[in-house]
């Protein structure tokens, strides 16, 4: 495999591989490719005819002004990896790993706020959707950095991804057809239990569809559907038809790629059917993304700061003063007001992100109490020091 300059670049089977980055300039956007069932981070995007690996050999020259960094993602995508175990949602496992890998890759390069554009084929689109659902739901100081994937995502191009899952029976058929296309015939014929397992997993896939619908308006989305049927055992059939791959939705772009399901993501040249539509879609998102994502990060940081201040205020209001046993007195919030003196540790607004306030042991608490607070007996209007 070679990049646009002809230099050969190895592609990792698992995880992220950077296949292109602009020379001597900071990238403006990350474009990440995610393959589908039984796919491969290299072969899924490589033409069977010309052997062109288009994310590295065709795309960069089309996006010189947008200065993208191009990455491909690989994961265990056999049939069993898309089915549920006894109590596990394995697509969710893929999604968690994808979010963690993307965060780590960008963190090392100090690019955690760089815009992201996704290009996903077939069931890889479900992994991307589940990853964004997972990232959007993350709360908590210790893991909120993983929200960066959700915050930074600007656009998604879905190539032949099944989206509509309301018809359970039809879902099962689509999944069986996808298996017939991407799996060796001997596997489909000799291990039908794998296909059955994927078909019975359609409730999980439908849940992803419903959850993502609540997030979709935040992103720019482009649906592509296959324009040619696939020969399945002598029958020509659209594996993921237009209704499922490109559902009508507000503010969503839709287009056809004149190829069958497995070839719609393999462009052999700039003149290949659908190439211009896909590239122009990526280029448009890459041009628009930086300004929009920068604004979203400003909003995200303000919301985090507000949440921290609200939590601190709640903690402050719930504090009770310690027992002053050595003086034979007990103070409570109802009878005593405490006025903090100049001590930076009591300044909640100045606390760093994620700092937690801890209770002091009794002895240390009393010493701190004597040194830093002036108490007023509200009931008797007496001042005690």
């Amino acid at each position: 495999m070679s990049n646009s300059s002809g230099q050969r670049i190895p592609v990792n089977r698992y995880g992220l591989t950077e296949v292109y980055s602009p020379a001597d300039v900071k990238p403006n956007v990350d474009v990440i490719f995610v393959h589908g069932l039984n796919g491969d981070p290299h072969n899924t995007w490589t033409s069977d005819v010309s052997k062109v690996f288009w994310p590295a050999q065709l795309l960069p020259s089309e996006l010189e002004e947008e200065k993208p960094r191009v990455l491909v993602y690989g994961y265990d995508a056999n049939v069993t990896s898309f089915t549920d175990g006894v109590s596990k949602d394995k697509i969710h496992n893929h999604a968690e790993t994808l979010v963690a890998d993307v965060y780590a890759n960008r963190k090392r390069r100090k690019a955690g706020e760089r815009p992201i554009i996704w290009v996903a084929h077939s069931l890889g689109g479900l992994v991307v959707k589940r990853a964004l659902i997972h990232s959007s739901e993350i709360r908590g100081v210790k893991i909120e950095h993983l929200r960066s994937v959700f915050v930074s995502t600007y656009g998604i191009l879905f190539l032949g991804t099944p989206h509509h899952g309301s018809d359970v029976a039809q879902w099962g058929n689509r999944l069986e057809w996808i298996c017939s296309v991407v799996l060796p015939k001997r596997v489909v014929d000799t291990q039908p239990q794998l296909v059955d397992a994927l078909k019975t997993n359609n409730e999980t896939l439908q849940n992803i569809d419903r959850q993502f619908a609540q997030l979709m308006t935040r992103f720019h989305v482009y649906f592509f559907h296959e324009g040619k049927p696939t020969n399945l055992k002598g029958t020509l059939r659209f594996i993921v038809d237009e209704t499922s791959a490109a559902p009508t939705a507000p503010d969503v772009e839709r287009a056809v790629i004149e190829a069958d399901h497995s070839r719609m993501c393999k462009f052999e040249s700039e003149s290949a059917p659908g190439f211009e539509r896909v590239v122009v879609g990526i280029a448009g998102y890459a041009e628009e993304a930086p300004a929009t994502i920068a604004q979203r990060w400003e909003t995200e940081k303000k919301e985090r700061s507000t949440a921290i201040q609200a939590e601190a205020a709640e903690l402050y209001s719930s504090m009770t003063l310690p027992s002053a046993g050595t003086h034979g007195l007990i103070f409570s919030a109802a009878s005593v007001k405490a006025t903090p003196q100049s001590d930076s540790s009591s300044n909640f607004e100045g606390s760093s992100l994620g700092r937690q306030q801890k209770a002091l042991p009794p002895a240390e608490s009393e010493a701190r109490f004597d040194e830093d607070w002036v108490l007023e007996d509200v009931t008797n209007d007496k001042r005690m020091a």
Side-chain angles (χ1 to χ4, degrees):
M1 190 276 296
S2 59
N3 63 6
S4 59
S5 64
Q7 180 183 1
R8 294 188 64 82
I9 302 175
V11 173
N12 300 325
R13 178 64 186 86
Y14 301 115
L16 286 163
T17 302
E18 180 183 296
V19 298
Y20 172 79
S21 186
D24 304 322
V25 65
K26 185 178 180 180
N28 288 336
V29 62
D30 285 345
V31 181
I32 305 176
F33 289 76
V34 181
H35 64 78
L37 181 67
N38 209 47
D40 177 272
H42 178 266
N43 295 338
T44 292
W45 315 103
T46 300
S47 168
D48 298 329
V49 178
S50 65
K51 305 303 179 185
V52 166
F53 177 59
W54 72 273
Q57 294 176 270
L58 299 182
L59 185 61
S61 62
E62 300 285 338
L63 301 179
E64 289 183 358
E65 293 183 4
E66 290 76 17
K67 301 178 179 62
R69 187 172 69 119
V70 182
L71 306 98
V72 292
Y73 184 71
Y75 60 102
D76 182 7
N78 59 44
V79 176
T80 56
S81 74
F82 274 89
T83 61
D84 285 345
V86 175
S87 61
K88 292 183 178 179
D89 175 356
K90 292 190 177 180
I91 293 182
H92 179 65
N93 292 347
H94 288 317
E96 285 184 320
T97 304
L98 175 56
V99 169
D101 283 352
V102 171
Y103 167 76
N105 179 281
R106 288 153 57 87
K107 175 67 174 178
R108 286 185 63 203
R109 292 156 180 82
K110 296 180 173 56
E113 297 180 12
R114 183 183 296 158
I116 299 173
I117 297 169
W118 301 91
V119 182
H121 177 242
S122 194
L123 296 188
L126 300 182
V127 175
V128 170
K129 291 199 289 187
R130 190 66 187 87
L132 292 172
I133 293 167
H134 167 62
S135 180
S136 73
E137 293 174 343
I138 287 174
R139 295 293 183 272
V141 172
K142 296 179 181 178
I143 59 173
E144 67 181 4
H145 56 274
L146 296 175
R147 272 182 59 83
S148 64
V149 175
F150 168 71
V151 178
S152 296
T153 292
Y154 181 82
I156 315 164
L157 291 85
F158 293 104
L159 280 60
T161 294
H163 297 287
H164 274 190
S166 57
D167 186 335
V168 175
Q170 191 65 16
W171 253 103
N173 290 336
R174 285 198 188 100
L175 296 172
E176 184 173 9
W177 298 337
I178 291 173
C179 288
S180 298
V181 171
V182 302
L183 296 177
K185 185 176 184 299
R186 58 180 174 77
V187 174
V188 177
D189 291 343
T190 63
Q191 300 184 55
Q193 71 276 9
L194 296 182
V195 178
D196 290 340
L198 184 59
K199 290 169 63 177
T200 58
N201 194 40
N202 54 39
E203 184 176 352
T204 295
L205 305 185
Q206 290 179 86
N207 287 338
I208 293 173
D209 190 39
R210 285 192 290 268
Q211 288 178 285
F212 185 75
Q214 301 174 23
L215 304 177
M216 196 168 72
T217 55
R218 179 183 179 92
F219 312 122
H220 284 67
V221 175
Y222 208 146
F223 291 141
F224 291 91
H225 62 94
E226 59 211 60
K228 291 186 176 182
T230 299
N231 189 334
L232 290 181
K233 300 178 181 178
T235 301
L236 294 177
R237 191 183 301 278
F238 288 100
I239 305 304
V240 183
D241 61 22
E242 179 180 353
T243 302
S244 178
T248 302
D251 265 353
V252 171
E253 295 178 274
R254 304 166 67 253
V256 64
I257 295 177
E258 295 85 354
D260 62 27
H261 186 75
S262 63
R263 293 182 177 84
M264 67 183 302
C265 55
K266 306 174 188 289
F267 299 123
E268 60 188 55
S269 69
E270 294 89 342
S271 60
F275 176 78
E276 282 191 348
R277 297 183 202 113
V278 172
V279 167
V280 168
I282 297 173
Y285 294 168
E287 180 181 355
E288 300 162 358
T292 299
I293 296 303
Q295 291 176 353
R296 287 182 182 171
W297 270 109
E298 285 186 16
T299 301
E300 177 76 7
K301 291 172 183 177
K302 288 179 181 177
E303 290 177 351
R304 290 184 186 181
S305 177
T306 300
I308 290 171
Q309 292 177 16
E311 184 179 352
E314 182 179 356
L315 178 63
Y316 186 86
S317 65
S318 66
M319 290 176 62
T320 58
L321 297 178
S323 167
T326 57
H327 298 93
L329 299 172
I330 296 178
F331 300 95
S332 67
S335 61
V336 177
K337 290 192 300 183
T339 304
Q341 302 302 297
S342 56
D343 181 355
S344 61
S345 65
S346 65
N347 183 3
F348 285 96
E349 290 187 0
S351 62
S352 61
L353 182 64
R355 179 179 297 171
Q356 297 181 356
Q357 306 299 320
K358 298 182 179 179
L360 297 171
E364 184 180 353
S365 178
E366 289 185 8
R368 180 70 173 269
F369 180 85
D370 290 338
E371 293 171 3
D372 298 340
W373 297 81
V374 172
L375 302 178
E376 299 176 29
D377 187 335
V378 179
T379 306
N380 300 319
D381 197 24
K382 287 183 180 180
R383 180 173 298 276
M384 296 175 290

